[in-house]
Amino acid sequence: VTGVQTCALPISRRAAAGLLDRIVIVGPTAATYLLWQLTARPRAGGGGPDEATVVGLYVLSLLWALVSGFTDLVVVQGITGQSLGKRLLHIRLVRDRDGEPLGVGPALVRWTLSIGFGLLTCGIGAVLDHLWPLWSGDGKRIVDTWRACSVVDAPDGPAPAPPAPPAAPTLP
């Protein structure tokens, strides 16, 4: 198969998948930060966890965000084409040339480009990248264009397995 027939998916599905991924990745960090803000302030009568405990939890939650983000958006999505959010919304990320998942290395490059583009532009690039499908004719983010990949509809269930190699010829 050469080339993938893609059509612009509604940005609402991509956005919902991204939101689900971010809730799993950033949710524990945000909840811990909120706990820190509520409990680390001096209160009459004391009580609540001490600041060192809350800071330790916050550091652990930041590690959670880094490890879970890398695992979901690089390793799992690179191998299967679907992050948790994409799996729940039945969409997947594939290479344009053959419709297969990107692989871990190219998924890492895509993730790094996305983060780097945002950091180098003080967040403006990240916002533009995520809004780009609204006005691009092919419904792709900027990093999808750079990496020659597309988000497409996926059948229910996991990504299809690659075809089995041909059987070796038998000798008479």
Side-chain angles (χ1 to χ4, degrees):
V1 177
T2 57
V4 171
Q5 184 174 358
T6 62
C7 60
L9 287 174
I11 192 168
S12 59
R13 287 178 65 197
R14 289 186 71 150
L19 181 62
L20 289 170
D21 289 332
R22 273 41 172 207
I23 288 171
V24 170
I25 294 167
V26 180
T29 305
T32 305
Y33 180 77
L34 182 62
L35 175 69
W36 183 11
Q37 292 301 311
L38 294 175
T39 62
R41 302 189 191 292
R43 289 187 278 164
D50 63 20
E51 189 169 346
T53 302
V54 177
V55 169
L57 287 172
Y58 188 62
V59 169
L60 285 175
S61 67
L62 286 174
L63 288 173
W64 164 264
L66 182 63
V67 170
S68 65
F70 178 80
T71 302
D72 186 40
L73 299 175
V74 175
V75 178
V76 174
Q77 184 168 248
I79 293 169
T80 67
Q82 294 179 304
S83 63
L84 177 64
K86 284 182 178 69
R87 182 175 298 270
L88 291 172
L89 291 170
H90 307 289
I91 57 179
R92 58 190 286 236
L93 179 69
V94 297
R95 293 185 300 241
D96 286 342
R97 73 174 183 263
D98 61 7
E100 293 296 316
L102 293 183
V104 175
L108 176 61
V109 171
R110 180 180 183 265
W111 191 52
T112 305
L113 283 172
S114 180
I115 291 170
F117 189 43
L119 290 175
L120 288 173
T121 60
C122 299
I124 295 169
V127 171
L128 282 174
D129 181 36
H130 284 84
L131 293 176
W132 200 259
L134 287 172
W135 56 78
S136 71
D138 55 7
K140 292 183 178 187
R141 287 175 46 193
I142 296 169
V143 295
D144 294 340
T145 302
W146 290 344
R147 293 301 308 152
C149 58
S150 299
V151 176
V152 298
D153 280 312
D156 289 346
T170 57
L171 297 173

